[in-house]
């Protein structure tokens, strides 16, 4: 898959503080990529570097082969952007706002898809943006980002302020765009959203990318808890002495394990014994993220 | 990209200033000039002490030129300058403070074009307001008794006033593009205006310091000379030259600086203060 978004050694210092540290990243065409991290991890800095709002201390970013600094006009022609905390012109109605930004892009509103997106997000366009709720401001921001068929969508916390119904409408819109080959790059700290729509995630921690994997890969590597009930006394601890397996609790016929990584050797080991019941807890992405952070803190 | 859209949007943002000031300037100008016959009658044949020359210039107040210089050009340009500072400092910095600049800069518009189109729109605003003032003066020559003044003289003085206003507009745009907030831009420009006005005032009152008038834009703006003689082309060129320098400076500053970061890139390049940094290391947004 050719890289729609490519960064290498992308670094930005603010004075003595390093907000983004040597970000190397490739996001493929048509991919939905989640950029995860707590507030201040550097997500917005990376996005603002891609859009040339700020310049890198070193390194570079490119979108569809266009350098984000040297060819920022070319980049912005093919990128739809939603800022994290969207502010609009309060005196303009939703429709006037769309007209203004469509005019900036030189596209007729009727052909931009904006009105259809607004309809799907149940957004009224005949009222002034200054009277919009946070959710409606977000919807209008999404309309502006998605209209005109950009090849890349860069969205900073896109579901922020949306009710669950509209979140689902948004996710559906993003999946549709991805099916059409649009690359979706969005930052979030809402794990459920990332789980729902993303194919791959990057985890940012204190300006550094600590992991880039598919959601399923990450989950497979995660710690999971197994509570196994045996028929009678459980086997000796040596029966499960293998890499990535740790016994947490042993009580009458029950053993609770913590398993990290591939589950198959553990299943095969259990198959040597008479197992009455197994309870396995799948980690949520939230727990996964916390485990990443915990590991990072430990090192 | 549609440059016209950005120009129209800026004009729309300034429509209150444009409509209010155009109407106000027209009525005030006409109202002031309507008083000319009484003032001329009162001062006819009265020899004022030389001291008054400092304020009235070389034209006597009972002449149309002297009256216009003393009652209109002595203070109306200051009002226009104040509006130019308000509009100019809002042009970029206000968009940034309001958080709309990132949305705008995500569009395929060059930073240079953003500054130039906003500049063009604001130039048009003050061109219209000045033209309306001139129209009121022209009307006064028709309807006000004894107020007889050549159109070219009024045009010269009004053009000079417009150039002065554009000068301060350019300065405000430069501050707006280079500094992170409207407040800081307005504070810097206002301080410079007050300083220039004070220096000019002192230079006017103290003979030994009269050379200082050449150092301030208020000293270069010789409206009485424009009304009595002709367009002071040298001063006009100086104002145009500085305006161009300010706008180029605004473009260069805005091209080079970060958007949405509360820093003073032109003035300081050192580390951020702790108060300027958000948790996690990113700079706080301008406010």
């Amino acid at each position: 898959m050719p890289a729609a978004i490519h960064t290498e050694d992308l670094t930005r210092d603010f004075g003595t503080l390093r907000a983004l540290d040597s970000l190397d990243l490739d996001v493929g065409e048509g991919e939905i990529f989640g950029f995860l991290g707590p507030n201040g991890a550097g997500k917005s800095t990376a996005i603002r570097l891609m859009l040339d709002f700020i310049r890198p201390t070193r390194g570079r970013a490119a979108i569809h082969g266009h350098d984000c600094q040297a060819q920022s006009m070319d980049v912005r022609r093919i990128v739809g952007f939603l800022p994290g905390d969207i502010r609009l012109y309060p005196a303009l109605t939703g429709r006037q706002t769309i007209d203004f930004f469509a005019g900036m892009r030189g596209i007729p509103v009727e052909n931009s898809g904006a009105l259809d997106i607004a309809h799907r997000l149940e957004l009224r366009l005949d009222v002034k943006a200054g009277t919009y709720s946070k959710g409606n401001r977000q919807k209008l921001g999404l309309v502006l980002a998605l209209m005109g068929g950009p090849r890349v969508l860069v969205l900073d916390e896109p579901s922020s302020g949306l009710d669950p119904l509209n979140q689902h409408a948004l996710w559906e819109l993003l999946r549709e765009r991805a099916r059409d080959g649009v690359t979706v790059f969005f930052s979030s700290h809402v794990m459920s959203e990332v789980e729902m729509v993303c194919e791959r995630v990057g985890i940012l921690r204190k300006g550094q990318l600590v992991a880039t994997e598919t959601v399923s890969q990450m989950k497979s590597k995660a710690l999971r808890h197994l509570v196994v009930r045996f028929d009678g006394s459980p086997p000796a601890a040596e029966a499960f002495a293998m890499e990535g397996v740790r016994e947490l609790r042993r009580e009458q016929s029950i053993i609770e394990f913590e398993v990290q990584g591939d589950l198959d050797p553990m299943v095969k080991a259990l198959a040597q014994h008479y197992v009455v019941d197994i309870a396995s807890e799948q980690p949520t992405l939230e727990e996964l993220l916390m485990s990443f952070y915990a590991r990072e803190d430990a090192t | 990209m549609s440059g016209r859209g950005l120009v129209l949007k800026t004009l729309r943002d300034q429509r209150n200033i444009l409509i209010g000031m155009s109407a106000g300037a027209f009525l005030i100008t006409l109202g002031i000039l309507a008083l000319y016959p009484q003032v001329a009658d009162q001062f006819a044949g009265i020899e004022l002490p030389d001291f008054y020359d400092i304020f009235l210039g070389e034209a006597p107040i009972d002449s149309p030129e002297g009256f216009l210089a003393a009652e209109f050009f002595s203070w109306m340009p200051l009002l226009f300058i104040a509006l130019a500072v308000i509009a100019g400092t809002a042009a970029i910095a206000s968009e940034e403070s309001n958080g709309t600049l990132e949305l705008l800069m995500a569009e395929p518009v060059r930073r240079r074009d953003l500054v130039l189109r906003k500049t063009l729109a604001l130039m048009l605003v003050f061109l219209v307001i000045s033209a309306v003032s001139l129209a009121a003066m022209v009307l006064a020559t028709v309807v006000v008794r004894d107020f007889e003044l050549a159109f070219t003289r009024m045009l010269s003085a009004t053009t000079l006033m417009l150039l002065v206003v554009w000068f301060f507009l350019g300065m405000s745009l430069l501050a707006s593009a280079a500094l992170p907030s409207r407040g800081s831009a307005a504070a810097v420009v206002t301080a410079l205006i007050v300083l220039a006005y004070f220096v000019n005032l002192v230079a006017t009152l103290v003979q030994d310091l009269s050379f200082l008038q050449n150092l301030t834009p208020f000293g270069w703006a010789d409206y009485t000379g424009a009304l009595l003689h002709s367009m002071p082309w040298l001063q006009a060129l100086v104002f145009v030259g500085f305006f161009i320098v300010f706008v180029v400076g605004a473009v260069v500053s805005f091209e080079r600086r970060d958007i949405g970061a509360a820093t003073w890139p032109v003035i300081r390049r050192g580390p951020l203060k702790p108060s300027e940094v958000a948790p996690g290391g990113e700079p706080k947004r301008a406010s």
Side-chain angles (χ1 to χ4, degrees), chain B residues 144-220:
Chain B
V144 178
R145 177 171 57 88
D146 296 335
F147 188 77
E148 291 168 8
L149 198 55
F151 171 75
T152 51
R153 301 282 170 79
M154 292 185 290
L155 177 64
S156 297
T158 309
T159 304
L160 187 62
M161 175 182 73
L162 178 61
L163 295 179
V164 173
V165 174
W166 280 355
F167 172 93
F168 286 107
L169 176 66
M171 187 187 281
S172 305
L173 283 161
L174 171 58
S176 178
L179 302 179
S181 72
R182 184 181 185 179
S184 54
V188 168
V189 175
T190 304
L192 288 173
I193 290 173
V194 170
L195 179 67
Y197 191 82
F198 178 74
V199 168
N200 184 59
L201 190 65
V202 170
T204 309
L205 295 171
V206 182
Q207 190 72 39
D208 292 344
L209 297 176
S210 60
F211 68 94
L212 288 175
Q213 273 193 299
N214 296 326
L215 301 178
T216 80
F218 295 108
W220 308 328

Side-chain angles (χ1 to χ4, degrees), chain B residues 60-138:
Chain B
I61 194 161
D62 57 347
S63 68
E65 295 87 350
F67 184 76
L68 196 55
E71 299 299 333
F72 179 87
F73 286 107
S74 64
W75 65 274
M76 192 62 110
L78 291 175
L79 182 60
F80 291 170
I81 288 167
L83 291 172
V85 172
I86 291 169
T89 53
I92 304 290
S94 189
E95 291 260 15
E96 190 163 23
S97 303
N98 295 338
T100 49
L101 190 59
E102 287 196 356
L103 210 52
L104 206 52
M105 291 312 303
E107 299 301 321
V109 53
R110 288 190 176 83
R111 292 186 181 206
R112 175 184 65 207
D113 292 339
L114 182 78
V115 175
L116 292 179
R117 281 167 184 154
K118 286 202 170 255
T119 303
L120 175 64
L122 293 175
M123 286 172 75
L124 284 173
V125 167
F126 289 99
L127 176 67
V128 170
I129 295 172
S130 300
V132 168
S133 303
L134 178 62
M137 291 176 210
V138 172

Side-chain angles (χ1 to χ4, degrees), chain A residues 168-183:
Chain A
H168 281 276
L170 167 66
W171 297 337
E172 190 49 39
L173 274 166
L174 297 184
R175 287 192 203 102
E176 282 173 23
R177 294 295 188 278
R179 280 197 291 274
D180 293 340
V182 173
T183 303

Side-chain angles (χ1 to χ4, degrees), chain A residues 1-6 26-30 62-65 78 151-152 181 183:
Chain A
M1 195 158 43
I5 298 174
H6 171 75
D26 280 304
V27 181
E29 200 168 341
I63 294 182
H64 279 292
I78 56 171
R151 293 177 68 191
V152 175
T183 303

Side-chain angles (χ1 to χ4, degrees), chain A residues 137-168:
Chain A
R137 285 203 309 274
Q138 191 75 357
K139 288 179 195 175
L140 185 53
L142 287 163
V143 172
L144 299 178
L146 270 68
M147 72 178 185
R151 293 177 68 191
V152 175
L153 285 168
V154 177
L155 312 172
D156 200 351
E157 310 273 356
S159 65
S160 171
L162 298 183
D163 61 42
L165 275 178
N166 282 304
Q167 283 183 7
H168 281 276

